[in-house]
Amino acid sequence: MSLPDALPQRFPFVLLDRIVEVQPGVAVTAERTLTHDDPLLDPQGALLPVLLVEAMAQCAGYAAFDPSRRIGGMLVRISRFRCRRGADAGCVLRVNARIVRVFGQTVKARAAVRVGRRVVAAAELTLQLSEYK
């Protein structure tokens, strides 16, 4: 399953380049390479914290995606968000998301963005499951 099939976003809003590892309904690991000419970087060459949250949400949405029913998760809440500088041009971001709890149509996930071994962002995300058109 490819990213465009599992996410409602389209270019240039898909913030994940490739899926590295998938445990369907449990966890996903994805990567994003930041290039110097990336249009999403600020003038100093860093990725804004809101875009780090979006990358984590897309990764968690991919983990919650059910291909048989075309149901995926939409971000409804961000909690315990922490961010450090370090997501700059030339870095490879490794985004991890793990489903912690599913209750009804709501999914809770924990996600983190790493550059090398360093965690540059982490959050708990709540997603609402809905059908993609």
Side-chain angles (χ1 to χ4, degrees):
M1 169 181 23
S2 67
L3 276 170
D5 295 336
L7 296 174
Q9 292 88 353
R10 297 294 175 252
F11 180 81
F13 302 110
V14 175
L15 297 179
L16 306 174
D17 290 338
R18 65 196 147 279
I19 300 298
V20 177
E21 183 180 342
V22 177
Q23 296 173 358
V26 178
V28 170
T29 301
E31 286 184 347
R32 166 75 185 224
T33 303
L34 298 177
T35 60
H36 292 282
D37 61 346
D38 197 323
L40 300 175
L41 297 178
D42 68 6
Q44 289 76 33
L47 193 63
L48 298 173
V50 69
L51 295 175
L52 292 172
V53 170
E54 179 62 23
M56 290 187 286
Q58 288 180 15
C59 195
Y62 192 90
F65 182 69
D66 181 359
S68 64
R69 299 185 305 166
R70 301 242 349 120
I71 292 178
M74 305 288 189
L75 182 65
V76 294
R77 182 177 178 189
I78 304 162
S79 57
R80 298 185 182 184
F81 175 67
R82 287 181 246 160
C83 183
R84 295 182 178 162
R85 294 221 21 108
D88 300 320
C91 294
V92 176
L93 305 179
R94 194 164 181 100
V95 185
N96 300 65
R98 176 170 291 281
I99 303 297
V100 177
R101 186 171 179 202
V102 178
F103 37 105
Q105 294 287 75
T106 306
V107 174
K108 187 172 187 177
R110 287 197 182 111
V113 178
R114 289 180 170 76
V115 174
R117 291 185 172 189
R118 183 176 176 203
V119 176
V120 294
E124 286 187 359
L125 307 171
T126 304
L127 305 165
Q128 182 70 37
L129 298 176
S130 62
E131 186 174 340
Y132 293 162
K133 304 268 182 202

